[in-house]
Structure formats: structure tokens, C-alpha cells
Amino acid sequence: MADVQRAVTAELDRIAPVIDDLGRRFADAGHELALVGGPVRDAMLGRHHNDLDFTTSARPEQTEKLLKGWSDAIWDMGRAFGTIGCRKDEWQVEITTYRSESYDPDSRKPDVDFGDTLEGDLGRRDFTVNAMAVRVPGRVVEDPYGGIVDLAGQVLRTPGRPEDSFSDDPLRMMRAARFAAQLGFSVAPEVVAAMTAMASRIEIISAERVRDELVKLICAPYPRLGLSLLVETGLAELVLPELPALKLERDEHHRHKDVYEHTLTVLEQAIDLESRLPGGGPDFVARFAALMHDVGKPRTRRFLDDGTVTFHHHDVVGAKLTRKRMKALRFSNDEIEAVSQLVEQHLRFHGYGTGEWTDSAVRRYVRDAGDQLERLHILTRADSTTRNKRKADRLQRTYDDLEERIARLSEQEELKSIRPDLDGNQIMEILGIGPGREVGEAYKHLLELRIENGPMSEEDARSALLAWWSARQ
């Protein structure tokens, strides 16, 4: 407890320029103000951030008036929910009126009612570790629901009955999985039981809100914890059914690995390789591709007469399933294309054998990967989960060789921007034709020659173009 007190004191001192000044402004106007939720929880965990959430007895219009002249900028997109936001120097601040909200059983949007007490406001929050507050400017800690004890025990529990909490806002079931993944905490048995019994209630929540929680979960430090909870409670069947579908029944001779466990291991190994990416992660596209890379296996599994198991074309089928699921979850077209491309290409490396690919095959690999090449490197390396050390080392050496060849060819030929040796204007001039379909066909032919043979001189490219044109006449 002493360590927690020291951590909180240090964090409150750090953010004193905001909480002390703002607390006095609200107190002088006759209103209560308290730092609340994540910032309080993270202060107790010794974590720092500059996004500060407050709750207040003031109504939104009163809050806005008090922020004028103090903040650098104000925004009110959350006014309907009682929230006014502002920026002060490097701090991002959101202040929300005490409230209680609940969902109509058939509605996706909450009804918002303003409350009158801090304790009442804290009681409507999702978990006890997020239901703690620090009154300002006096810095009095309020913990009516035992959040400090649960924080010490690293457990997620609701302030009241979990059934009431999840009925009020079903998205809190997804948030339980997300916070488990973010904090590395366990979830109280009664909360798991309520999630399991009420999983179908998630269907009233919009796809966009479910997507946002899923992204936060997958980009968290411990995504396996959150994903396993979604599968265990049946929520995954409703929000990401391709994941529990990977729990294939094992054939009696165990001739194929546990695809579900393999997938979670690939995800964790992909996370370990994120340092290769600009910025170092977390990278949602790489992680989600790792999670979805084998989702085509359930539909393509076949048992042969000799007892072996095959999953032919699971890469192509998996890419289609991935695209369909991401569209349903309202992901952007760019994200859908990037993840689906990685799923479809994740087996390409295995045609490399022990290095038999020609330079043209390496060029095609780079061209087809496009701007996803580094993520494809990560996914391919992460996809090796064999316990056979000799086999694992051999795969790693082979992929090292492929990457070295890519680097060597890239240095010589600028592989990432492969283009024909003649552009469209030159093609039209040489052939004496105007814009049209034939220019595109000529361009494609020259691109194939470029990939197959490497760079050509302008004279050789001209001769090759004229020979192709002559053969068409």
C-alpha cells in the first residue's frame, strides 16, 4: 500500500499544473471535480500519460464556461454524453458530468442521465480498478468499490453485479477481455460467468464499437489473455467466429497440430518481431494477419486414405474469409487489403525450398508483397512453431538467405519500385500509337521481361518491344 501511495503522489505531483489549477477553478465556482478512471488506475501502477479524465458535478455548459480562458482549445463533440474536452499545453483533458447510462434492450445507443454524486458516478463504471477517483484540488482518494484491493490482486471485477453492468452496456464484456490483454489481469469468476450467459447481448452493439475494442485488445501487451477469454465465454463466436473455428477436432492419430494454439503462438511470435517495423509496433495489421493467417483451414481440411491431413488452398480461402470478416467489422479498405494480402501470401515462402528460386522468382515475391514486404517477413518467420529445433533452425537460415537475396537485388535494381524499362510515352512514340488498351498490354509485357531478366538497356527494351509488336500483327 505504501508503494501505491508513493506512486500516486509522484504522478499527482507531475500533473499538478492541471489538477490543482483546474480543481480550484471548479471549487471556486461551487462544483466538485475529480480525476477518475484510467489515469487514477495507471497512477497506482506507476504509469504516466498526458490524457486526463475528470468527472464533475457541473453540467456541460458550466464546464465549458470554466474552461474558457484557461485552456488552449475546447471541443464539445461529446456534449450529448456530458463531455467537454480541451487541450492545455501538453495535456489532453476530458471532463464529464456525473452520469448514469443504460441501454434499452433493443437499442445500440445509451440513454444518458446526469447524476449528482461522485459515488453514484463511480458505481456505473465498468470495473472496480476504473472506479477510483482523486478529488481535486484536495487530492482525496475515493475508492468505494475496492478497486485498490483488486488492483493489488490483478483481478477485474465489476462495482456491482456483472449482469447489471453488462445489461447496461454490453460492450463492457469486450472491455473485460481488452483490459485483461492490456493489464495482464485475470477476470473474476462471476464476471466470466455473466459474460458467458449474456454473450448474445453483444449483438445490439454497433460493429464499429466492437471493432475498436478488438483493435485495442489485439494491440495490447497480452492479446492471448483477451482472445482466450472471448473464445471461452462464447463472445468470439459472435464477433470473430473464425477464431474459435480453429479449434478443430483432432484426428485420432494427431496428424496435424492444434491450429488454434498454433495461431495464438504465431501471434505472440509476430509481436516479438515487431521491432523490425518502423516505429517498432504495436502494429495491428501484422498482428491481425497473424491471427487470421490459418482461418481457411477448417474449410479446406481433408483426410487422405493414408491418414494424412491436407489444407490445400487454405491461404486463398483464408484471405476471402478475412476480407469478409473485416468488412463486417467496418475496417477501412486499406486495412482490409493489407491484412487479406498477407493472409493470401503467407505460404509463398515455402516454395523457396532450400534456395532454388531464380532471381525472377525473388523479384515476383517482392513485387507481389509490395508495401507489405516487411510484414510478410514477420508473418512468415512467426509461422514457424515447430518444436523440432533442427527444422526450426533450417527454416530460419533459409529465410535469412531469401532476405539477403532480396537485399542484394534491391541494392542493384531498386526492387520495391520495379517498372518497365520504357514508360508509356516512350511506348507510344516507338510504336507510333496513341493512348489505349495496346499501350497497357505493351507495358505489362515489358514489366514481365523486367521481372524475368532484370534491367535492360533502352536499346534492348526498344528491340524487345518492337519484336512483341511485330508478333501481334
Side-chain angles (χ1 to χ4, degrees), residues 97-154:
T97 302
Y98 294 157
R99 67 188 188 187
S100 61
E101 64 184 33
S102 61
Y103 278 77
D104 180 273
D106 300 315
S107 173
R108 290 184 174 186
K109 297 182 179 180
D111 296 320
V112 177
D113 294 316
F114 294 141
D116 298 313
T117 67
L118 175 58
E119 184 171 344
D121 181 86
L122 296 178
R124 57 153 291 278
R125 293 179 180 267
D126 49 13
F127 303 104
T128 60
V129 296
N130 296 329
M132 299 179 288
V134 177
R135 291 185 182 272
V136 292
R139 299 192 182 184
V140 176
V141 175
E142 300 284 355
D143 179 25
Y145 301 101
I148 293 176
V149 173
D150 287 341
L151 199 67
Q154 298 190 331

Side-chain angles (χ1 to χ4, degrees), residues 114-294:
F114 294 141
D116 298 313
T117 67
L118 175 58
E119 184 171 344
D121 181 86
L122 296 178
R124 57 153 291 278
R125 293 179 180 267
D126 49 13
F127 303 104
T128 60
V129 296
N130 296 329
M132 299 179 288
V134 177
R135 291 185 182 272
V136 292
R139 299 192 182 184
V140 176
V141 175
E142 300 284 355
D143 179 25
Y145 301 101
I148 293 176
V149 173
D150 287 341
L151 199 67
Q154 298 190 331
V155 62
L156 292 171
R157 198 185 315 276
T158 54
R161 286 175 8 101
E163 293 83 1
D164 295 335
S165 181
F166 298 153
S167 179
D168 283 348
D169 185 354
L171 191 67
R172 288 173 178 169
M173 296 185 286
M174 291 287 297
R175 286 167 66 83
R178 189 248 289 187
F179 280 120
Q182 284 184 334
L183 301 172
F185 286 10
S186 63
V187 180
E190 70 273 15
V191 175
V192 175
M195 291 171 66
T196 304
M198 302 178 66
S200 63
R201 186 109 168 90
I202 198 68
E203 293 179 312
I204 73 165
I205 301 297
S206 70
E208 290 83 357
R209 294 186 73 205
V210 169
R211 174 203 63 207
D212 291 347
E213 286 298 325
L214 193 60
V215 170
K216 291 174 184 177
L217 187 164
I218 289 169
C219 290
Y222 314 104
R224 179 190 280 263
L225 289 177
L227 294 168
S228 297
L229 182 62
L230 292 181
V231 171
E232 176 189 351
T233 57
L235 277 161
E237 288 279 1
L238 300 166
V239 301
L240 193 65
E242 294 78 10
L243 182 59
L246 294 176
K247 284 180 167 284
L248 298 174
E249 292 181 10
R250 300 288 294 272
D251 61 290
E252 59 179 329
H253 299 294
H254 300 284
R255 294 179 187 263
H256 67 86
K257 66 181 71 175
D258 184 326
V259 182
Y260 172 74
E261 287 297 327
H262 163 75
T263 293
L264 295 181
T265 300
V266 171
L267 171 58
E268 290 177 327
Q269 293 185 167
I271 292 171
D272 290 340
L273 293 169
E274 282 181 334
S275 59
R276 296 171 56 113
L277 296 172
D283 186 84
F284 173 75
V285 169
R287 294 187 183 198
F288 202 56
L291 189 65
M292 301 295 281
H293 79 284
D294 273 349

